[in-house]
Amino acid sequence: MKKNILTALLILGLCFSVNLAANAEQSSNDGKIKEVYVNLDTVWRNSPQGKQDLSEIEQLVNATKEEVQKLRDDLQKMGEEFKAAVSQPEKEEKAKQIEQKRRELIEITTLKNREIEMKRNQAQQEFVETIIPMINDYRSTNGYMVIHRYTANDIVSIDPKVDITEEILEMYSKK
């Protein structure tokens, strides 16, 4: 029994030593960092494709603002008509119209905001799908084990030595 325990401990110790040696060899290999980070949102926003996508989204946002402003102006005019109404039936009719216009405003605002968000998400997803093969090539070429994706909301501070965002942006822009 004692012999089996000693043998097991010896095997565990040997495995531990081999694992430590492998890790030491891996981390000292060329002194390269094996894990790096990239902010794909920054790459997208600053790339030619991202700038084009954002321009199209901005046009949609501006069109939505105009449409919403027109509805607000209509509501304001209806409010003035309500104040000017003399009879109770006329006031009730104007109140119904105002409520209908208010609901229309809410519905259009909600739908347009969803449309804008979907367009932005779709553009980013398409961008990510095109850049991932380039990032995989970059990872292989530079000997990195892992390239992590991060956003400004995920990381408070990052060492510039492990942030390859600018390199990926430059590589993508040359493509």
Side-chain angles (χ1 to χ4, degrees):
M1 181 76 149
K2 286 183 180 181
K3 191 175 187 181
N4 288 343
I5 292 174
L6 285 174
T7 304
L9 287 174
L10 182 62
I11 291 172
L12 280 173
L14 183 59
C15 289
F16 182 73
S17 298
V18 169
N19 192 22
L20 278 176
N23 284 341
E25 179 183 340
Q26 183 179 21
S27 63
S28 68
N29 185 13
D30 295 349
K32 284 195 173 192
I33 300 166
K34 295 299 178 188
E35 293 184 15
V36 291
Y37 295 81
V38 62
N39 186 327
L40 289 181
D41 187 53
T42 298
V43 175
W44 174 65
R45 282 186 282 109
N46 293 304
S47 71
Q49 181 62 48
K51 288 177 182 178
Q52 180 183 340
D53 292 340
L54 289 170
S55 175
E56 292 171 10
I57 292 167
E58 186 65 27
Q59 289 173 3
L60 185 57
V61 166
N62 289 336
T64 298
K65 284 179 182 178
E66 289 175 15
E67 188 173 351
V68 166
Q69 187 58 50
K70 183 184 179 313
L71 289 171
R72 285 184 179 154
D73 292 345
D74 290 348
L75 266 173
Q76 184 176 0
K77 183 180 174 187
M78 293 170 114
E80 291 167 5
E81 290 172 357
F82 175 80
K83 288 178 186 176
V86 179
S87 70
Q88 186 63 25
E90 189 180 4
K91 282 192 178 278
E92 288 175 4
E93 182 60 32
K94 292 295 178 188
K96 286 179 185 176
Q97 291 173 356
I98 288 171
E99 181 59 24
Q100 184 178 359
K101 186 63 76 171
R102 189 186 68 75
R103 287 182 182 168
E104 181 182 351
L105 174 65
I106 291 169
E107 184 178 326
I108 286 176
T109 303
T110 302
L111 289 173
K112 291 295 185 172
N113 284 338
R114 282 186 194 150
E115 181 182 351
I116 291 165
E117 188 63 27
M118 284 175 44
K119 184 166 182 66
R120 185 177 202 281
N121 289 342
Q122 181 181 3
Q124 282 184 313
Q125 184 60 38
E126 289 172 2
F127 175 79
V128 167
E129 288 173 5
T130 62
I131 201 167
I132 290 296
M134 294 173 71
I135 290 174
N136 283 334
D137 289 344
Y138 178 88
R139 181 188 49 76
S140 296
T141 301
N142 291 285
Y144 295 121
M145 295 174 67
V146 178
I147 297 179
H148 298 278
R149 178 181 184 176
Y150 79 93
T151 66
N153 295 335
D154 295 334
I155 294 181
V156 175
S157 177
I158 188 166
D159 187 334
K161 289 184 251 175
V162 296
D163 186 352
I164 61 167
T165 301
E166 290 301 319
E167 293 173 57
I168 298 298
L169 175 59
E170 185 178 319
M171 182 179 72
Y172 181 81
S173 296
K174 286 180 181 178
K175 171 196 109 154

Short mmCIF file of all heavy atoms in Angstrom, two decimals, residues 85-135:
data_model
loop_
_atom_site.label_atom_id
_atom_site.label_comp_id
_atom_site.label_asym_id
_atom_site.label_seq_id
_atom_site.Cartn_x
_atom_site.Cartn_y
_atom_site.Cartn_z
N ALA A 85 -60.10 74.79 -29.03
CA ALA A 85 -61.43 74.18 -29.18
C ALA A 85 -62.38 74.73 -28.12
O ALA A 85 -61.99 74.91 -26.96
CB ALA A 85 -61.33 72.67 -29.09
N VAL A 86 -63.61 74.95 -28.54
CA VAL A 86 -64.60 75.55 -27.64
C VAL A 86 -65.52 74.50 -27.04
O VAL A 86 -65.72 74.45 -25.83
CB VAL A 86 -65.40 76.65 -28.39
CG1 VAL A 86 -66.45 77.26 -27.48
CG2 VAL A 86 -64.48 77.70 -28.97
N SER A 87 -66.07 73.66 -27.88
CA SER A 87 -67.07 72.70 -27.39
C SER A 87 -66.40 71.45 -26.81
O SER A 87 -65.29 71.08 -27.19
CB SER A 87 -68.02 72.31 -28.52
OG SER A 87 -67.34 71.51 -29.47
N GLN A 88 -67.10 70.79 -25.94
CA GLN A 88 -66.61 69.57 -25.31
C GLN A 88 -66.40 68.45 -26.33
O GLN A 88 -65.35 67.80 -26.31
CB GLN A 88 -67.56 69.12 -24.19
CG GLN A 88 -67.06 67.95 -23.38
CD GLN A 88 -65.77 68.26 -22.62
OE1 GLN A 88 -65.48 69.42 -22.30
NE2 GLN A 88 -64.99 67.24 -22.37
N PRO A 89 -67.34 68.22 -27.27
CA PRO A 89 -67.11 67.17 -28.28
C PRO A 89 -65.87 67.46 -29.12
O PRO A 89 -65.12 66.54 -29.47
CB PRO A 89 -68.38 67.19 -29.13
CG PRO A 89 -69.43 67.80 -28.27
CD PRO A 89 -68.71 68.75 -27.36
N GLU A 90 -65.66 68.72 -29.44
CA GLU A 90 -64.49 69.10 -30.24
C GLU A 90 -63.20 68.83 -29.44
O GLU A 90 -62.22 68.31 -29.99
CB GLU A 90 -64.58 70.58 -30.63
CG GLU A 90 -63.52 71.01 -31.63
CD GLU A 90 -63.64 72.49 -32.00
OE1 GLU A 90 -64.47 73.22 -31.46
OE2 GLU A 90 -62.85 72.89 -32.88
N LYS A 91 -63.20 69.16 -28.16
CA LYS A 91 -62.03 68.90 -27.30
C LYS A 91 -61.76 67.40 -27.19
O LYS A 91 -60.61 66.97 -27.24
CB LYS A 91 -62.25 69.49 -25.91
CG LYS A 91 -62.05 70.99 -25.82
CD LYS A 91 -62.00 71.42 -24.37
CE LYS A 91 -61.76 72.91 -24.24
NZ LYS A 91 -60.38 73.28 -24.34
N GLU A 92 -62.83 66.61 -27.04
CA GLU A 92 -62.67 65.15 -26.94
C GLU A 92 -62.08 64.58 -28.22
O GLU A 92 -61.22 63.70 -28.18
CB GLU A 92 -64.02 64.50 -26.61
CG GLU A 92 -64.47 64.74 -25.18
CD GLU A 92 -65.86 64.21 -24.90
OE1 GLU A 92 -66.47 63.56 -25.79
OE2 GLU A 92 -66.35 64.42 -23.78
N GLU A 93 -62.54 65.07 -29.36
CA GLU A 93 -62.02 64.62 -30.66
C GLU A 93 -60.54 64.98 -30.79
O GLU A 93 -59.72 64.16 -31.23
CB GLU A 93 -62.85 65.22 -31.81
CG GLU A 93 -62.41 64.77 -33.18
CD GLU A 93 -62.48 63.25 -33.39
OE1 GLU A 93 -63.35 62.58 -32.82
OE2 GLU A 93 -61.63 62.73 -34.14
N LYS A 94 -60.19 66.20 -30.43
CA LYS A 94 -58.78 66.64 -30.51
C LYS A 94 -57.92 65.81 -29.55
O LYS A 94 -56.79 65.45 -29.88
CB LYS A 94 -58.65 68.13 -30.18
CG LYS A 94 -59.27 69.05 -31.20
CD LYS A 94 -58.55 68.94 -32.52
CE LYS A 94 -59.21 69.85 -33.56
NZ LYS A 94 -58.68 69.65 -34.89
N ALA A 95 -58.44 65.50 -28.37
CA ALA A 95 -57.70 64.69 -27.40
C ALA A 95 -57.43 63.28 -27.96
O ALA A 95 -56.33 62.74 -27.80
CB ALA A 95 -58.47 64.61 -26.08
N LYS A 96 -58.41 62.70 -28.64
CA LYS A 96 -58.23 61.38 -29.27
C LYS A 96 -57.15 61.45 -30.35
O LYS A 96 -56.32 60.56 -30.47
CB LYS A 96 -59.54 60.89 -29.88
CG LYS A 96 -60.56 60.41 -28.88
CD LYS A 96 -61.83 59.96 -29.58
CE LYS A 96 -62.92 59.60 -28.60
NZ LYS A 96 -64.18 59.24 -29.28
N GLN A 97 -57.20 62.51 -31.15
CA GLN A 97 -56.21 62.68 -32.22
C GLN A 97 -54.80 62.85 -31.64
O GLN A 97 -53.84 62.29 -32.17
CB GLN A 97 -56.58 63.89 -33.09
CG GLN A 97 -57.82 63.69 -33.93
CD GLN A 97 -58.25 64.97 -34.65
OE1 GLN A 97 -57.67 66.04 -34.48
NE2 GLN A 97 -59.29 64.85 -35.47
N ILE A 98 -54.72 63.63 -30.55
CA ILE A 98 -53.42 63.83 -29.90
C ILE A 98 -52.88 62.50 -29.38
O ILE A 98 -51.71 62.18 -29.56
CB ILE A 98 -53.53 64.87 -28.77
CG1 ILE A 98 -53.72 66.27 -29.38
CG2 ILE A 98 -52.31 64.84 -27.85
CD1 ILE A 98 -54.06 67.35 -28.38
N GLU A 99 -53.73 61.72 -28.74
CA GLU A 99 -53.30 60.43 -28.20
C GLU A 99 -52.87 59.48 -29.32
O GLU A 99 -51.86 58.77 -29.20
CB GLU A 99 -54.42 59.79 -27.37
CG GLU A 99 -54.06 58.46 -26.73
CD GLU A 99 -52.86 58.52 -25.80
OE1 GLU A 99 -52.54 59.60 -25.26
OE2 GLU A 99 -52.22 57.47 -25.62
N GLN A 100 -53.59 59.48 -30.41
CA GLN A 100 -53.24 58.64 -31.56
C GLN A 100 -51.88 59.07 -32.12
O GLN A 100 -51.03 58.23 -32.43
CB GLN A 100 -54.32 58.73 -32.63
CG GLN A 100 -54.08 57.83 -33.82
CD GLN A 100 -55.22 57.91 -34.84
OE1 GLN A 100 -56.21 58.63 -34.65
NE2 GLN A 100 -55.08 57.17 -35.92
N LYS A 101 -51.65 60.36 -32.25
CA LYS A 101 -50.38 60.88 -32.78
C LYS A 101 -49.24 60.57 -31.81
O LYS A 101 -48.13 60.23 -32.24
CB LYS A 101 -50.50 62.38 -33.03
CG LYS A 101 -49.31 63.01 -33.71
CD LYS A 101 -49.06 62.48 -35.11
CE LYS A 101 -50.04 63.04 -36.11
NZ LYS A 101 -49.67 62.69 -37.50
N ARG A 102 -49.51 60.67 -30.51
CA ARG A 102 -48.50 60.36 -29.49
C ARG A 102 -48.09 58.89 -29.59
O ARG A 102 -46.90 58.55 -29.56
CB ARG A 102 -49.04 60.67 -28.10
CG ARG A 102 -48.00 60.57 -26.99
CD ARG A 102 -48.61 60.74 -25.61
NE ARG A 102 -49.47 59.64 -25.24
CZ ARG A 102 -49.04 58.42 -24.86
NH1 ARG A 102 -47.77 58.17 -24.81
NH2 ARG A 102 -49.90 57.47 -24.54
N ARG A 103 -49.06 58.01 -29.75
CA ARG A 103 -48.76 56.58 -29.91
C ARG A 103 -47.97 56.32 -31.18
O ARG A 103 -47.06 55.49 -31.21
CB ARG A 103 -50.05 55.76 -29.89
CG ARG A 103 -50.67 55.66 -28.53
CD ARG A 103 -51.90 54.80 -28.54
NE ARG A 103 -52.50 54.76 -27.21
CZ ARG A 103 -53.68 54.30 -26.95
NH1 ARG A 103 -54.43 53.80 -27.92
NH2 ARG A 103 -54.14 54.30 -25.73
N GLU A 104 -48.34 57.00 -32.24
CA GLU A 104 -47.62 56.88 -33.51
C GLU A 104 -46.16 57.30 -33.33
O GLU A 104 -45.25 56.65 -33.83
CB GLU A 104 -48.30 57.74 -34.58
CG GLU A 104 -47.66 57.67 -35.94
CD GLU A 104 -48.34 58.58 -36.96
OE1 GLU A 104 -49.42 59.15 -36.68
OE2 GLU A 104 -47.75 58.74 -38.05
N LEU A 105 -45.96 58.40 -32.61
CA LEU A 105 -44.60 58.89 -32.35
C LEU A 105 -43.78 57.85 -31.59
O LEU A 105 -42.64 57.55 -31.96
CB LEU A 105 -44.66 60.21 -31.57
CG LEU A 105 -43.33 60.78 -31.10
CD1 LEU A 105 -42.47 61.17 -32.29
CD2 LEU A 105 -43.57 61.99 -30.20
N ILE A 106 -44.37 57.29 -30.56
CA ILE A 106 -43.67 56.27 -29.76
C ILE A 106 -43.35 55.04 -30.62
O ILE A 106 -42.24 54.51 -30.59
CB ILE A 106 -44.50 55.88 -28.52
CG1 ILE A 106 -44.55 57.05 -27.54
CG2 ILE A 106 -43.94 54.62 -27.85
CD1 ILE A 106 -45.56 56.87 -26.42
N GLU A 107 -44.31 54.60 -31.40
CA GLU A 107 -44.13 53.41 -32.24
C GLU A 107 -43.03 53.63 -33.28
O GLU A 107 -42.15 52.79 -33.46
CB GLU A 107 -45.44 53.06 -32.92
CG GLU A 107 -45.38 51.79 -33.74
CD GLU A 107 -46.72 51.43 -34.37
OE1 GLU A 107 -47.77 51.70 -33.75
OE2 GLU A 107 -46.69 50.89 -35.49
N ILE A 108 -43.08 54.76 -33.95
CA ILE A 108 -42.08 55.04 -34.98
C ILE A 108 -40.69 55.19 -34.36
O ILE A 108 -39.71 54.65 -34.90
CB ILE A 108 -42.48 56.29 -35.80
CG1 ILE A 108 -43.62 55.92 -36.73
CG2 ILE A 108 -41.29 56.86 -36.57
CD1 ILE A 108 -44.19 57.06 -37.53
N THR A 109 -40.62 55.87 -33.24
CA THR A 109 -39.33 56.03 -32.56
C THR A 109 -38.75 54.67 -32.18
O THR A 109 -37.57 54.40 -32.42
CB THR A 109 -39.48 56.93 -31.32
OG1 THR A 109 -40.02 58.19 -31.71
CG2 THR A 109 -38.15 57.14 -30.62
N THR A 110 -39.58 53.83 -31.63
CA THR A 110 -39.13 52.49 -31.22
C THR A 110 -38.67 51.68 -32.43
O THR A 110 -37.59 51.07 -32.40
CB THR A 110 -40.26 51.75 -30.48
OG1 THR A 110 -40.66 52.53 -29.34
CG2 THR A 110 -39.82 50.37 -30.03
N LEU A 111 -39.47 51.66 -33.48
CA LEU A 111 -39.12 50.89 -34.68
C LEU A 111 -37.84 51.41 -35.33
O LEU A 111 -36.98 50.62 -35.73
CB LEU A 111 -40.27 50.93 -35.69
CG LEU A 111 -41.53 50.14 -35.31
CD1 LEU A 111 -42.65 50.40 -36.32
CD2 LEU A 111 -41.21 48.65 -35.23
N LYS A 112 -37.71 52.71 -35.44
CA LYS A 112 -36.52 53.29 -36.07
C LYS A 112 -35.27 53.03 -35.24
O LYS A 112 -34.21 52.73 -35.79
CB LYS A 112 -36.70 54.80 -36.30
CG LYS A 112 -37.72 55.13 -37.35
CD LYS A 112 -37.30 54.65 -38.72
CE LYS A 112 -38.27 55.08 -39.78
NZ LYS A 112 -37.81 54.79 -41.13
N ASN A 113 -35.39 53.12 -33.91
CA ASN A 113 -34.24 52.83 -33.06
C ASN A 113 -33.81 51.37 -33.20
O ASN A 113 -32.62 51.07 -33.25
CB ASN A 113 -34.55 53.15 -31.60
CG ASN A 113 -34.53 54.64 -31.32
OD1 ASN A 113 -33.92 55.41 -32.05
ND2 ASN A 113 -35.21 55.05 -30.27
N ARG A 114 -34.78 50.47 -33.29
CA ARG A 114 -34.45 49.05 -33.52
C ARG A 114 -33.77 48.87 -34.88
O ARG A 114 -32.81 48.11 -35.00
CB ARG A 114 -35.71 48.19 -33.47
CG ARG A 114 -36.20 47.91 -32.09
CD ARG A 114 -37.36 46.95 -32.11
NE ARG A 114 -38.04 46.94 -30.83
CZ ARG A 114 -39.31 46.69 -30.66
NH1 ARG A 114 -40.07 46.39 -31.70
NH2 ARG A 114 -39.85 46.72 -29.46
N GLU A 115 -34.29 49.53 -35.89
CA GLU A 115 -33.72 49.44 -37.23
C GLU A 115 -32.27 49.93 -37.23
O GLU A 115 -31.39 49.30 -37.83
CB GLU A 115 -34.56 50.26 -38.21
CG GLU A 115 -34.07 50.22 -39.64
CD GLU A 115 -34.90 51.09 -40.57
OE1 GLU A 115 -35.96 51.61 -40.17
OE2 GLU A 115 -34.46 51.27 -41.72
N ILE A 116 -32.03 51.04 -36.57
CA ILE A 116 -30.68 51.60 -36.50
C ILE A 116 -29.75 50.63 -35.77
O ILE A 116 -28.64 50.36 -36.23
CB ILE A 116 -30.70 52.98 -35.81
CG1 ILE A 116 -31.39 54.00 -36.73
CG2 ILE A 116 -29.29 53.44 -35.44
CD1 ILE A 116 -31.78 55.30 -36.03
N GLU A 117 -30.20 50.09 -34.65
CA GLU A 117 -29.39 49.16 -33.88
C GLU A 117 -29.12 47.88 -34.67
O GLU A 117 -28.01 47.35 -34.65
CB GLU A 117 -30.08 48.83 -32.55
CG GLU A 117 -29.24 48.03 -31.60
CD GLU A 117 -27.98 48.75 -31.15
OE1 GLU A 117 -27.95 50.00 -31.12
OE2 GLU A 117 -27.01 48.06 -30.82
N MET A 118 -30.13 47.38 -35.38
CA MET A 118 -29.94 46.18 -36.19
C MET A 118 -28.93 46.43 -37.32
O MET A 118 -28.09 45.59 -37.61
CB MET A 118 -31.27 45.70 -36.76
CG MET A 118 -32.14 45.00 -35.74
SD MET A 118 -33.80 44.53 -36.31
CE MET A 118 -33.52 43.86 -37.92
N LYS A 119 -29.03 47.59 -37.94
CA LYS A 119 -28.10 47.93 -39.03
C LYS A 119 -26.67 48.01 -38.50
O LYS A 119 -25.74 47.49 -39.12
CB LYS A 119 -28.50 49.24 -39.69
CG LYS A 119 -27.65 49.60 -40.89
CD LYS A 119 -28.29 50.69 -41.70
CE LYS A 119 -27.50 51.04 -42.94
NZ LYS A 119 -27.42 49.99 -43.94
N ARG A 120 -26.52 48.62 -37.34
CA ARG A 120 -25.19 48.74 -36.73
C ARG A 120 -24.65 47.35 -36.38
O ARG A 120 -23.50 47.03 -36.68
CB ARG A 120 -25.26 49.61 -35.48
CG ARG A 120 -23.91 49.88 -34.86
CD ARG A 120 -24.07 50.83 -33.65
NE ARG A 120 -22.85 51.51 -33.33
CZ ARG A 120 -21.84 50.98 -32.65
NH1 ARG A 120 -21.91 49.73 -32.25
NH2 ARG A 120 -20.76 51.68 -32.38
N ASN A 121 -25.46 46.53 -35.74
CA ASN A 121 -25.03 45.17 -35.37
C ASN A 121 -24.68 44.33 -36.59
O ASN A 121 -23.70 43.59 -36.59
CB ASN A 121 -26.11 44.47 -34.54
CG ASN A 121 -26.24 45.05 -33.15
OD1 ASN A 121 -25.35 45.73 -32.66
ND2 ASN A 121 -27.37 44.79 -32.52
N GLN A 122 -25.50 44.45 -37.64
CA GLN A 122 -25.24 43.68 -38.86
C GLN A 122 -23.93 44.13 -39.51
O GLN A 122 -23.12 43.30 -39.93
CB GLN A 122 -26.39 43.85 -39.85
CG GLN A 122 -26.20 43.08 -41.13
CD GLN A 122 -27.35 43.30 -42.12
OE1 GLN A 122 -28.27 44.07 -41.86
NE2 GLN A 122 -27.28 42.62 -43.24
N ALA A 123 -23.70 45.43 -39.56
CA ALA A 123 -22.47 45.94 -40.16
C ALA A 123 -21.25 45.47 -39.36
O ALA A 123 -20.25 45.04 -39.95
CB ALA A 123 -22.51 47.47 -40.22
N GLN A 124 -21.34 45.53 -38.05
CA GLN A 124 -20.23 45.07 -37.22
C GLN A 124 -20.00 43.57 -37.39
O GLN A 124 -18.85 43.13 -37.48
CB GLN A 124 -20.49 45.38 -35.74
CG GLN A 124 -20.24 46.81 -35.38
CD GLN A 124 -20.42 47.05 -33.90
OE1 GLN A 124 -21.40 46.62 -33.31
NE2 GLN A 124 -19.48 47.75 -33.30
N GLN A 125 -21.07 42.79 -37.43
CA GLN A 125 -20.93 41.35 -37.59
C GLN A 125 -20.29 41.00 -38.92
O GLN A 125 -19.41 40.14 -39.00
CB GLN A 125 -22.30 40.65 -37.45
CG GLN A 125 -22.22 39.15 -37.50
CD GLN A 125 -21.37 38.56 -36.40
OE1 GLN A 125 -21.37 39.02 -35.27
NE2 GLN A 125 -20.62 37.53 -36.72
N GLU A 126 -20.71 41.65 -39.98
CA GLU A 126 -20.11 41.41 -41.30
C GLU A 126 -18.63 41.78 -41.29
O GLU A 126 -17.80 41.07 -41.87
CB GLU A 126 -20.86 42.19 -42.38
CG GLU A 126 -22.24 41.63 -42.66
CD GLU A 126 -23.07 42.51 -43.59
OE1 GLU A 126 -22.58 43.56 -44.06
OE2 GLU A 126 -24.25 42.14 -43.83
N PHE A 127 -18.30 42.87 -40.62
CA PHE A 127 -16.91 43.29 -40.51
C PHE A 127 -16.08 42.23 -39.77
O PHE A 127 -15.01 41.85 -40.23
CB PHE A 127 -16.81 44.65 -39.81
CG PHE A 127 -15.39 45.08 -39.57
CD1 PHE A 127 -14.65 45.63 -40.60
CD2 PHE A 127 -14.80 44.93 -38.33
CE1 PHE A 127 -13.34 46.02 -40.39
CE2 PHE A 127 -13.51 45.31 -38.12
CZ PHE A 127 -12.76 45.87 -39.15
N VAL A 128 -16.61 41.77 -38.65
CA VAL A 128 -15.90 40.77 -37.84
C VAL A 128 -15.67 39.51 -38.67
O VAL A 128 -14.58 38.93 -38.64
CB VAL A 128 -16.66 40.47 -36.53
CG1 VAL A 128 -16.11 39.22 -35.85
CG2 VAL A 128 -16.60 41.67 -35.59
N GLU A 129 -16.68 39.10 -39.43
CA GLU A 129 -16.53 37.90 -40.25
C GLU A 129 -15.44 38.06 -41.30
O GLU A 129 -14.76 37.10 -41.64
CB GLU A 129 -17.86 37.55 -40.91
CG GLU A 129 -18.88 37.01 -39.92
CD GLU A 129 -20.27 36.83 -40.53
OE1 GLU A 129 -20.45 37.03 -41.75
OE2 GLU A 129 -21.19 36.49 -39.75
N THR A 130 -15.25 39.28 -41.81
CA THR A 130 -14.20 39.49 -42.82
C THR A 130 -12.82 39.62 -42.20
O THR A 130 -11.83 39.27 -42.83
CB THR A 130 -14.47 40.73 -43.69
OG1 THR A 130 -14.46 41.90 -42.87
CG2 THR A 130 -15.78 40.63 -44.43
N ILE A 131 -12.75 40.10 -40.97
CA ILE A 131 -11.43 40.35 -40.38
C ILE A 131 -10.88 39.16 -39.60
O ILE A 131 -9.67 39.04 -39.41
CB ILE A 131 -11.44 41.63 -39.51
CG1 ILE A 131 -10.01 42.15 -39.35
CG2 ILE A 131 -12.13 41.41 -38.19
CD1 ILE A 131 -9.90 43.53 -38.81
N ILE A 132 -11.73 38.25 -39.16
CA ILE A 132 -11.26 37.10 -38.36
C ILE A 132 -10.19 36.28 -39.09
O ILE A 132 -9.17 35.94 -38.49
CB ILE A 132 -12.44 36.22 -37.90
CG1 ILE A 132 -13.26 36.96 -36.84
CG2 ILE A 132 -11.97 34.86 -37.37
CD1 ILE A 132 -12.55 37.27 -35.55
N PRO A 133 -10.35 35.97 -40.38
CA PRO A 133 -9.27 35.23 -41.05
C PRO A 133 -7.94 36.00 -41.04
O PRO A 133 -6.88 35.41 -40.88
CB PRO A 133 -9.79 35.04 -42.48
CG PRO A 133 -11.28 35.11 -42.35
CD PRO A 133 -11.53 36.10 -41.25
N MET A 134 -8.00 37.32 -41.19
CA MET A 134 -6.78 38.13 -41.14
C MET A 134 -6.15 38.07 -39.75
O MET A 134 -4.92 37.99 -39.62
CB MET A 134 -7.10 39.59 -41.50
CG MET A 134 -7.55 39.78 -42.94
SD MET A 134 -8.08 41.47 -43.27
CE MET A 134 -6.52 42.31 -43.20
N ILE A 135 -6.99 38.11 -38.73
CA ILE A 135 -6.48 38.05 -37.36
C ILE A 135 -5.88 36.67 -37.08
O ILE A 135 -4.83 36.57 -36.44
CB ILE A 135 -7.60 38.39 -36.35
CG1 ILE A 135 -7.95 39.88 -36.45
CG2 ILE A 135 -7.20 38.01 -34.93
CD1 ILE A 135 -9.13 40.31 -35.62
#
